[in-house]
Amino acid sequence: MVKKQTSLLLLYYHNIKNEIARAMQFRADFTVSLITSLAFSIISPITQFLIFRLTNGYPGWSVSEMIVFQGAYVLWTGFRETLFGGVRIFILQVVRKGDLDRILLKPFHSGGFILASGFRFESIGSIAAGIIVLVLAMPATGAAVTISGIIVFLVLIVCGTFLFMGVLLLFCAITVTGIFSGRISELIDRLLDYAGYPSEIYPGISRA
């Protein structure tokens, strides 16, 4: 079991190296992709700031707290998309080409192999955007930044990523067994979007 897990980690490591090497072959496109990712990710906190200023805001939240919340959300989104953002595209291509049997014959766990094929280097711009927003907006909240708080935040990021991996595996299973899963992908995106807003804006049981 340990050997198989190590093999998957090595496979993921080599996939990362290959993805970066492919991206660096076209440096202009690579640079534009990073800049676009960074700019697009910063739009979300700016949009939330405008909504907050032009409306009554969110109950119990100050504008600086809302920006920090959005920065954390952008950081988590960038982290998950960098690590596994290409999984859905990969499994759709595999199913359309009829190459699923090739994955099943590989000396790796099939689910692990699919997840290891989802690295997207261009999404790292979202991670940078999230960090920038957090660093700039956090002092305005007046909250103390502690080592324990940072550790808890990172643990939550990791837990959210594991949950995202489970959602991706569920999507892959539906894609393999279903006829057309395009709408399923859209549904997953809409559900994940719920995390981009404070729970206070949702009524009743939907907050859970």
Side-chain angles (χ1 to χ4, degrees):
M1 179 63 70
V2 175
K3 184 177 180 180
K4 179 174 287 189
Q5 291 175 349
T6 303
S7 298
L8 282 173
L9 291 176
L10 287 175
L11 175 65
Y12 190 55
Y13 169 72
H14 288 297
N15 283 341
I16 291 176
K17 288 179 59 178
N18 292 334
E19 181 67 23
I20 294 176
R22 283 193 294 266
M24 293 301 291
Q25 289 179 354
F26 305 95
R27 289 180 175 81
D29 180 69
F30 173 74
T31 303
V32 171
S33 296
L34 285 181
I35 294 175
T36 302
S37 176
L38 178 63
F40 183 78
S41 298
I42 291 180
I43 289 176
S44 178
I46 293 176
T47 301
Q48 290 298 324
F49 173 78
L50 294 176
I51 293 175
F52 198 97
R53 298 290 292 181
L54 297 176
T55 64
N56 294 325
Y58 300 118
W61 289 76
S62 66
V63 61
S64 57
E65 292 171 341
M66 190 62 218
I67 297 303
V68 169
F69 178 87
Q70 283 297 311
Y73 176 71
V74 169
L75 175 59
W76 176 69
T77 302
F79 186 70
R80 83 182 190 213
E81 292 298 321
T82 299
L83 294 180
F84 306 109
V87 169
R88 281 183 280 179
I89 296 176
F90 175 77
I91 192 63
L92 287 172
Q93 292 176 342
V94 167
V95 172
R96 287 170 183 169
K97 294 179 180 179
D99 290 339
L100 183 62
D101 56 333
R102 297 175 59 184
I103 293 180
L104 298 176
L105 293 174
K106 291 183 181 296
F108 299 102
H109 186 279
S110 300
F113 180 86
I114 292 172
L115 290 175
S117 303
F119 182 81
R120 293 179 59 189
F121 187 72
E122 63 270 17
S123 297
I124 201 171
S126 297
I127 298 178
I131 294 175
I132 291 172
V133 172
L134 286 175
V135 170
L136 294 179
M138 195 67 185
T141 64
V145 179
T146 62
I147 298 298
S148 60
I150 294 175
I151 292 175
V152 170
F153 175 71
L154 294 178
V155 169
L156 292 175
I157 291 286
V158 173
C159 291
T161 303
F162 277 114
L163 177 61
F164 182 64
M165 291 167 62
V167 172
L168 289 177
L169 290 176
L170 177 61
F171 171 79
C172 292
I174 295 174
T175 301
V176 171
T177 58
I179 298 176
F180 180 70
S181 57
R183 293 301 178 183
I184 301 297
S185 182
E186 294 179 13
L187 177 61
I188 290 175
D189 287 333
R190 299 293 79 78
L191 289 174
L192 292 174
D193 286 343
Y194 276 92
Y197 301 91
S199 60
E200 285 80 2
I201 72 172
Y202 300 113
I205 194 173
S206 62
R207 295 184 180 185

